[in-house]
Amino acid sequence: MGIPTEPIGSIPRPPELLSAMADHAAGRLGDEELATAQDRAVRDTVRRLEEIGSPVVTDGEQSKPSFATYPLAGPDRLAPDGVVIPFADGHQRQLPRLTAGPLRYAVHADRYLRAALRHATVPVKQAVIAPSALSLLYPPDGIDGYPLEDFLDDLTAEAEADIRGCLAAGAHIVQLDFTEARLALKLDPAGVLLQQFIALNNRVLERFSAAEQARIGVHTCPGGDQDSTHSLDVDYAALLPDLLQLKAGAFYIQLASEPDPDKVLGLLADHLPGHARVFIGVTDPIDPRVETPEQVRDRVLTAARHLPADRLGTCDDCGFSPFADDTSTSRDTAFAKIRARIEGTALAARELPL
């Protein structure tokens, strides 16, 4: 059977799509022309992933403005001055702020999944934003006429619909992007915010059957963007025991860029639920050096010293371009790293009892 290997999500957009997005934003290109450019990029992404032997593909998030804000569209009920996320190199990302209720997703992720399925001949996974991330839209001082509990009820329902739509459309697996998990501990070292995030995510996940939960995974990383991170300095020891309480069948854990992978693997061995598989990151999207298949193989073999080989998988640490304007990694470099992950995982599988 080998060791399963999957992409995390975003892949740098081709120059033609970036130009089309800029022209559309400036009013020089219509919606139909932008949609055509997006579909070409999705088709090319799926084709290139299949050509390098990826057993599972994604759309590379070619049509998403960002991994976090795709459900939001238009200025209605949103202001631009929401939560600020600082990165280690000094740059920032800022979420919008909800100004009125009710919260409704303008876009659901099955739209992206269905576009990829039209071009794929292998299974397709779909990433969705975790409800915990969108909970940050609600302002600390509240919203008149829209209490927090009503917002959380709406958010829970919308997040469930986002996942359920992808499962119904035929997703191989639906991946919750929970990159704010580690950030929560940076913002609140006492862990209260993290516990709130996990409770909210489980509030959604518990709406699914055990069979459905087996097709849902959770991804965590320190937030790669423009070759920087927002929370790599937060110790995994404070995160993983709580993170692994989520009601999911798979966990995608950034590991290639960790300074002490053996420590993290020991934590995973101690806390991984008996029903779950862990996909370890074996390529680092923000490192410009392309890993060799042999480096990937060795990272997998190291993991297999801590965890049963039949509960292991591999992935990239993070997406390569989680925000559409992140061009810090080239498209060709991303595919070269993905090829190394696929080939290195196969090398490791030959040396492990599976």
Side-chain angles (χ1 to χ4, degrees):
M1 292 178 60
I3 298 172
T5 187
E6 298 179 8
I8 286 298
S10 61
I11 291 173
R13 287 77 170 166
E16 297 79 10
L17 176 56
L18 292 174
S19 295
M21 292 169 66
D23 288 344
H24 182 265
R28 297 188 296 268
L29 194 71
D31 292 347
E32 185 174 338
E33 291 81 5
L34 176 63
T36 298
Q38 290 171 332
D39 188 65
R40 281 198 298 263
V42 171
R43 183 173 64 248
D44 182 68
T45 299
V46 170
R47 175 187 62 80
R48 292 185 68 171
L49 285 171
E50 291 193 358
E51 284 178 353
I52 60 178
S54 186
V56 175
V57 300
T58 75
D59 72 338
E61 301 186 0
Q62 302 297 285
S63 304
K64 284 183 179 179
S66 85
F67 80 105
T69 60
Y70 69 85
L72 312 173
D76 292 348
R77 301 178 181 178
L78 293 173
D81 57 343
V83 172
V84 173
I85 301 173
F87 286 78
D89 66 352
H91 88 274
Q92 298 178 338
R93 294 287 183 177
Q94 188 165 25
L95 296 175
R97 172 177 57 87
L98 193 66
T99 60
L103 174 74
R104 293 291 183 267
Y105 282 20
V107 176
H108 285 89
D110 66 306
R111 172 189 297 186
Y112 308 114
L113 172 64
R114 294 175 192 278
L117 285 168
R118 290 198 298 268
H119 303 296
T121 63
V122 300
V124 180
K125 74 182 288 188
Q126 181 59 52
V128 302
I129 190 61
S132 52
L134 293 184
S135 71
L136 295 171
L137 299 176
Y138 194 86
D141 55 354
I143 298 173
D144 289 342
Y146 192 45
L148 175 61
E149 195 52 46
D150 288 354
F151 165 75
L152 293 176
D153 286 344
D154 290 340
L155 176 56
T156 299
E158 289 294 308
E160 178 191 2
D162 208 26
I163 297 169
R164 203 170 288 286
C166 293
L167 292 176
H172 163 69
I173 196 164
V174 179
Q175 172 189 291
L176 263 69
D177 283 332
F178 188 22
T179 67
E180 68 280 7
R182 220 161 165 178
L183 178 64
L185 287 167
K186 189 164 190 174
L187 298 174
D188 173 23
V192 175
L193 182 59
L194 175 63
Q195 288 298 326
Q196 292 173 346
F197 281 173
I198 288 174
L200 176 58
N201 290 339
N202 267 339
R203 180 173 169 176
V204 174
L205 293 170
E206 287 165 355
R207 295 186 170 203
F208 294 88
S209 69
E212 290 167 333
Q213 289 173 359
R215 293 174 59 199
I216 302 172
V218 175
H219 167 240
T220 191
C221 72
D225 178 47
Q226 296 183 9
D227 286 350
S228 187
T229 62
H230 56 53
S231 53
L232 186 60
D233 54 337
V234 174
D235 194 331
Y236 257 143
L239 171 64
L240 288 180
D242 291 325
L243 178 86
L244 295 170
Q245 295 176 22
L246 287 167
K247 309 295 186 182
F251 293 90
Y252 300 84
I253 306 294
Q254 163 265 343
L255 190 63
S257 55
E258 279 297 305
D260 189 354
D262 280 292
K263 176 183 175 181
V264 179
L265 290 164
L267 289 165
L268 289 168
D270 290 341
H271 297 283
L272 185 68
H275 64 277
R277 182 185 293 272
V278 60
F279 288 74
I280 60 164
V282 292
T283 55
D284 180 1
I286 67 174
D287 185 341
R289 296 169 296 181
V290 175
E291 293 82 358
T292 67
E294 291 74 22
Q295 286 175 313
V296 171
R297 174 201 62 197
D298 292 346
R299 289 170 179 172
V300 180
L301 295 178
T302 295
R305 293 200 294 268
H306 296 266
L307 293 154
D310 61 357
R311 297 180 66 197
L312 273 178
T314 65
C315 60
D316 311 300
D317 267 3
C318 304
F320 289 90
S321 180
F323 298 88
D325 62 358
D326 180 4
T327 57
S328 58
T329 299
S330 75
R331 192 166 168 86
D332 286 344
T333 295
F335 282 112
K337 283 175 170 280
I338 292 168
R339 181 191 291 273
R341 168 172 53 79
I342 295 166
E343 294 179 355
T345 301
L347 290 176
R350 295 179 194 139
E351 299 188 28
L352 293 171
L354 295 167

